[in-house]
Amino acid sequence: MFAVFKFFFAALVLATNTLVLVASMIPVALVKLVLPMQGVRRACDRALMGIAALWMDINAFWLDAVNRGRWDISGVEGLDPRGWYLVASNHQSWVDILVLQRVFNRRIPMLKFFTKKELIYVPVIGFAWWALDFPFMQRKGGASARADMEAGRKACAKFRLVPTSVMSFVEGTRRTAAKHTAQKSPYRHLLKPKVGGIGMALETLGDAFTGFLDVTIVYPQGTPTFTDAMAGRMGDVVVRAHLRSIPPDVLPPAGEPAPRAAVQAWVNELWQAKDEEIGQLLSSTDGLAN
């Protein structure tokens, strides 16, 4: 019964927070649309990201209010909220987004995700993602893939105007046991990495990035759903962030695509280390598995 109360409290705060703050974005987004000059756009982008940061603050409030699990976080010291970051993380649940926002909000610039194109039609929140210049991708082959690459390049080019963190869930989808088996992944805790989004970011913003933020998320009591998070059943959360330099061999010359083979080799190496890190973290948290 208490879980039901927590769920409705979280739902009320989330819904009110989203409706009020997204509504406040509308006039700013319209100004940006009608007056696309660089100075106006930069001021509007800062205002929109300020509203989004407040939205994330309030989400962190209800997340902590209804959940009593322990947060074990390291590697977030010394990050620059005025820098540009390329961020990559493993992906297990929609809760990952809440976790990343709670951990990094106001520590680094706002995380901008590569998002499925269909999500632009989600009421209210789809408008917010559009106003904040989230890259919308179709994630299909052929002509759609080429359109995705162009859309991603254009979105990343806009990120040069104000400090931004480009976020990529490199696996391309949430990891489940079924997907892991079907994919025959060589990693114990991860799906195979895909580097298209990282390649686009390196192509358009490579020389601007302050660094690469390699993030690992572990849920020792098991991967929670969004409903679990709202009902207070999220459990403990472990987050490890590693600020790494971007190797020179994955940075393309101006106007050229990122060297895919070099990027893939770099990410594969990172993914192997991440897989081992997840295993060590699970072993050190009372042997509980996800």
Side-chain angles (χ1 to χ4, degrees), residues 86-97:
L86 177 58
V87 186
S89 171
N90 59 315
H91 191 20
Q92 305 155 85
S93 165
W94 287 110
V95 177
D96 298 341
I97 296 175

Side-chain angles (χ1 to χ4, degrees), residues 71-91:
W71 288 75
D72 180 359
I73 303 168
S74 69
V76 297
E77 304 80 13
L79 298 175
D80 185 1
R82 295 167 295 182
W84 276 260
Y85 291 94
L86 177 58
V87 186
S89 171
N90 59 315
H91 191 20

